Amino acid sequence: MTDPSDAQPSTITYAGYLALDDLLAAQHPISDEHDEMLFVIIHQTKELWLKQILHEVAQAQALVRAGDLVPAYKSLARVSRIQAVMTMSWDILATMTPAEYLRFRGVLGSSSGFQSDQFRRFEYMLGLKDDRFLRFHEERPEAHAALRAALEAPSLYDDAMAQLAAAGLPVPPEVLNRDVSKPWEPSEGVEAAWLEVYRDTARWWPLYQLAEKLVDLDDALLTWRHKHVVTVERIIGRRRGTGGTEGVSYLTETLQRRCFPELWSLRTKL
């Protein structure tokens, strides 16, 4: 296919610019069941939105690391809006009944959204590090490398810690010097630093707004997870997931995860 970037503006068409022939040819249901097309498109759409989310979070991280907090708000707000759209898409999938899903579930084999490398990269970039997910992507070298890079890089929350410290707030040295590939451990010292921000918002307004944008992301992710749980239980009940997980039981456990735990716990102490 001709690269649209090589064409003159006057010759670019809507279909060519969006590579519609490739995009609309990317749906390959395995069964003859009518509802499998919906299942494919819902998940492909989520992956497209995740691609944009990763693009926006990378931009936000670059800005935060440079100390440009205010411009970073735009990308973070956009991610929250995308998350809302992704959450609403569960309602479309929920129009498929259990009987309709079971007619083609067998052709899915061991494939599962549990194996989405882009979703895991998103979690890693927010600070939910867990190297156990790397093994699911060894057969896709580029995806595996991107996931490992996200695991080993500072998260958005690590970047926020650096900005708190740069502003003179008392972030514990062990937090600033931690192994960023490891899961975040809640810190009373970090909570105390954020409390200073929340108790004097006028003085720390850029950091305060950054914190609230982070809470927006965490809130939206939790909302997405909850709707995922409800939709899965509505369609498959308490069966095991296709990827070998415990299904609803596993998904319910994920509701306890917080990307930015101190931004939640401090609210009790204000």
Side-chain angles (χ1 to χ4, degrees):
M1 177 181 172
T2 303
D3 188 337
S5 65
D6 295 332
Q8 295 298 316
S10 61
T11 65
I12 294 176
T13 66
Y14 177 79
Y17 178 69
L18 297 178
L20 285 184
D21 290 338
D22 292 336
L23 182 65
L24 298 178
Q27 294 72 48
H28 305 288
I30 299 174
S31 75
D32 294 326
E33 294 297 328
H34 174 82
D35 290 279
E36 191 184 352
M37 180 65 82
L38 172 64
F39 192 80
V40 170
I41 288 177
I42 285 286
H43 287 83
Q44 287 184 336
T45 302
K46 288 184 186 299
E47 291 297 327
L48 285 172
W49 280 127
L50 282 167
K51 183 173 183 177
Q52 186 66 34
I53 282 175
L54 297 178
H55 186 60
E56 298 296 341
V57 175
Q59 168 80 343
Q61 284 196 267
L63 290 167
V64 172
R65 287 174 185 171
D68 295 330
L69 303 188
V70 174
Y73 304 159
K74 175 66 177 290
S75 287
L76 296 177
R78 182 174 290 168
V79 171
S80 297
R81 300 300 188 276
I82 294 171
Q83 288 174 287
V85 170
M86 290 177 66
T87 297
M88 287 188 290
S89 71
W90 289 121
D91 288 334
I92 303 173
L93 188 61
T95 64
M96 184 169 57
T97 68
E100 291 164 345
Y101 177 58
L102 289 173
R103 290 185 190 124
F104 67 85
R105 188 181 191 233
V107 306
L108 302 179
S110 61
S111 65
S112 169
F114 179 82
Q115 301 158 355
S116 170
D117 64 283
Q118 289 200 117
F119 183 74
R120 297 307 173 194
R121 279 174 61 194
F122 180 40
E123 287 189 319
Y124 286 1
M125 292 172 83
L126 296 187
L128 294 177
K129 304 292 184 79
D130 188 339
D131 62 8
R132 293 177 298 175
F133 294 115
L134 288 172
R135 63 188 176 89
F136 295 109
H137 308 285
E138 292 174 348
E139 79 285 358
R140 298 173 61 222
E142 290 187 10
H144 187 270
L147 192 57
R148 178 173 288 281
L151 176 71
E152 296 175 351
S155 71
L156 179 58
Y157 203 38
D158 289 311
D159 297 332
M161 291 302 104
Q163 290 305 310
L164 284 174
L169 289 156
V171 181
E174 62 270 21
V175 170
L176 297 173
N177 299 314
R178 76 185 195 89
D179 181 348
V180 297
S181 69
K182 301 300 181 184
W184 179 268
E185 295 290 339
S187 163
E188 291 185 2
V190 169
E191 182 187 76
W194 280 124
L195 274 169
E196 288 197 30
V197 171
Y198 274 74
R199 285 170 174 159
D200 192 351
T201 58
R203 178 181 179 186
W204 305 109
W205 187 256
L207 289 167
Y208 172 62
Q209 284 298 299
L210 174 62
E212 285 299 292
K213 290 293 185 290
L214 295 182
V215 174
D216 286 344
L217 297 185
D218 220 352
D219 189 326
L221 184 55
L222 289 167
T223 302
W224 185 89
R225 292 190 198 276
H226 178 262
K227 190 61 178 177
H228 189 186
V229 172
V230 172
T231 304
V232 169
E233 185 167 13
R234 174 172 177 161
I235 296 176
I236 70 168
R238 292 280 172 170
R239 290 183 178 87
R240 290 180 65 85
T242 51
T245 72
E246 294 297 325
V248 168
S249 296
Y250 165 76
L251 294 174
T252 301
E253 290 175 5
T254 67
L255 296 176
Q256 305 306 313
R257 297 177 184 173
R258 295 290 188 279
C259 301
F260 319 115
E262 294 83 3
L263 294 179
W264 294 93
S265 61
L266 71 81
R267 284 157 160 75
T268 306
K269 297 183 179 179
L270 278 175

